[in-house]
Amino acid sequence: MPRPTALPDEPTVLVSTYLEPGLVERIATELSVEVLYDPALLPTPRYGNDHGGVRPELSADEEQRWLDLLARADVAFDFDWRAPEQMWANAPRLVWVQATSAGIGGFVKRYGLDGGEVVLTTAAGTHARMLAEFALAGVLHFVKDVPRLKAHQGERRWERHVSGQLAGRRATVVGLGSIGRQVVETFTALGMRVTGVGREGSTYEVPPGTQVVTTARLDEVLPTSDVLVLAIPLTDETDGMIDAGRVAALPAGAIVVNVARGQVVDEAALTEGLRSGRLGGAALDVFEVEPLPAESPLWDMDTVLVSPHSASTAATENEVLVDLFVENFRRLRDGRPLVNRYHADRGY
């Protein structure tokens, strides 16, 4: 039986990740739909807005209940946590999945979900302000020499010194999606000279005075980048984009911020640049291996700010995700283009 391509008159929504009861009720009420939601069958969140969580051990009866919910779903709020690679087979009525993450390319490729059977939309844009704030905090952490301030405070040591200044520094932001554009806007407002690096053939709305170049010119701008911010999705083209040669091309004292994925940068080369003192600092929310192994030298470096892939997690994240879901549901029902539609050929 072919998979449906449009919503039925009375669609059923499966919420396959933990949401606060009030938000589940909001989906049901605002969209006038039946919502399938059983938190006992879902991973338990470890912190607010956790969409990974601690996976439950389901009994045979519970597994069957979960499969029954999947079989009834026309729409899903997030992927199947239990067996994502079987989601299309287990949910034959499924038309659309709204992801809770902005970067789903690696996930859908790993589990064979990028064949175009079901419309996918990402959470791109919902984390832009949070990640831009983290990028700013990370850069200021090193420009204002917060590690030295904290060390001196611990020693009760009063020693005046000259502080660094953000305004006038040159920043390169690689990736001009919603996150990258928010970083560009934030840095520009504080007087930095910003270059954005985007895809060939694309146009971007950026603040006046922002230089925009394509990835083909990345090597030209790296040697003048006091700050390098990585805000690109992980695709075949971006995997390893900032290799050892490009790390070495950064000027002495450069600060690196990664809010993309750990795999876009050569972590060993970055670590060596920091260990040698050639680079000024790194604010990292993502790593090649997560959780970051205890033996990683990055943990012990004063020139590294380690964030456990949590920079995008705001207290209001679930509310924002539900806002996006409601908007996209209405668009799908009305036959209008969806926000953040995933394109398998691009990987985002």
Side-chain angles (χ1 to χ4, degrees):
M1 183 175 179
R3 181 178 297 278
T5 57
L7 291 177
D9 291 339
E10 297 182 358
T12 301
V13 173
L14 172 64
V15 176
S16 47
T17 186
Y18 179 81
L19 281 182
E20 292 79 0
L23 294 177
V24 176
E25 179 61 28
R26 179 187 162 197
I27 291 173
T29 302
E30 290 193 19
L31 299 177
S32 299
V33 295
E34 180 184 4
V35 177
L36 310 175
Y37 181 62
D38 188 344
L41 305 179
L42 301 175
T44 304
R46 298 156 294 183
Y47 51 86
N49 308 304
D50 179 18
H51 296 288
V54 179
R55 294 163 64 98
E57 291 289 338
L58 299 184
S59 67
D61 287 344
E62 289 171 329
E63 282 196 16
Q64 190 56 56
R65 280 165 50 198
W66 178 244
L67 289 172
D68 290 344
L69 294 180
L70 282 167
R72 294 173 57 195
D74 300 301
V75 164
F77 187 104
D78 217 354
F79 294 98
D80 176 11
W81 65 270
R82 178 180 162 275
E85 72 281 0
Q86 300 173 25
M87 191 171 188
W88 297 169
N90 290 335
R93 292 169 44 176
L94 203 60
V95 175
W96 162 54
V97 177
Q98 172 63 59
T100 57
S101 175
I104 66 171
F107 176 87
V108 298
K109 187 174 182 180
R110 184 183 322 120
Y111 292 110
L113 302 177
D114 55 354
E117 292 188 63
V118 177
V119 174
L120 308 178
T121 52
T122 78
T126 59
H127 308 121
R129 288 191 181 276
M130 286 294 294
L131 290 173
E133 288 176 1
F134 174 80
L136 176 60
V139 173
L140 285 173
H141 181 83
F142 297 110
V143 169
K144 295 301 181 183
D145 204 358
V146 173
R148 177 167 65 169
L149 292 175
K150 290 298 295 180
H152 285 187
Q153 181 177 339
E155 299 168 2
R156 299 178 182 270
R157 176 179 173 185
W158 182 277
E159 182 178 294
R160 300 191 67 183
H161 64 277
V162 175
S163 176
Q165 179 173 298
L166 195 65
R169 296 200 183 210
R170 300 160 299 184
T172 295
V173 179
V174 183
L176 291 174
S178 56
I179 296 168
R181 294 196 305 273
Q182 187 67 56
V183 173
V184 170
E185 183 177 322
T186 301
F187 282 5
T188 300
L190 293 172
M192 298 187 75
R193 294 176 288 165
V194 184
T195 297
V197 181
R199 289 171 58 92
E200 183 77 42
S202 298
T203 57
Y204 303 97
E205 292 185 11
V206 293
T210 305
Q211 180 187 18
V212 176
V213 302
T214 67
T215 51
R217 295 183 56 195
L218 177 59
D219 292 323
E220 296 178 29
V221 299
L222 286 177
T224 59
S225 302
D226 301 312
V227 173
L228 175 65
V229 179
L230 304 174
I232 42 179
L234 180 61
T235 67
D236 291 341
E237 291 75 24
T238 64
D239 193 347
M241 174 181 280
I242 309 301
D243 57 19
R246 284 174 167 162
V247 171
L250 291 167
I255 298 167
V256 177
V257 178
N258 192 358
V259 291
R261 288 293 185 267
Q263 292 79 4
V264 305
V265 63
D266 184 327
E267 192 169 287
L270 178 62
T271 300
E272 181 53 35
L274 292 161
R275 194 199 322 259
S276 69
R278 196 184 66 78
L279 296 179
L284 307 174
D285 185 50
V286 289
F287 302 87
E288 286 182 351
V289 176
E290 296 181 5
L292 183 64
E295 63 271 18
S296 171
L298 295 172
W299 285 109
D300 298 320
M301 293 184 179
D302 289 338
T303 51
V304 177
L305 184 62
V306 172
S307 170
H309 205 147
S310 298
S312 65
T313 307
T316 58
E317 178 178 335
N318 282 347
E319 296 173 28
V320 175
L321 288 171
V322 169
D323 288 342
L324 176 61
F325 178 82
V326 168
E327 172 65 19
N328 265 339
F329 185 96
R330 289 171 172 160
R331 286 170 174 259
L332 183 65
R333 184 176 54 195
D334 299 341
R336 293 181 288 139
L338 302 188
V339 178
N340 298 339
R341 182 160 181 164
Y342 174 78
H343 299 277
D345 58 329
R346 302 178 192 172
Y348 61 89

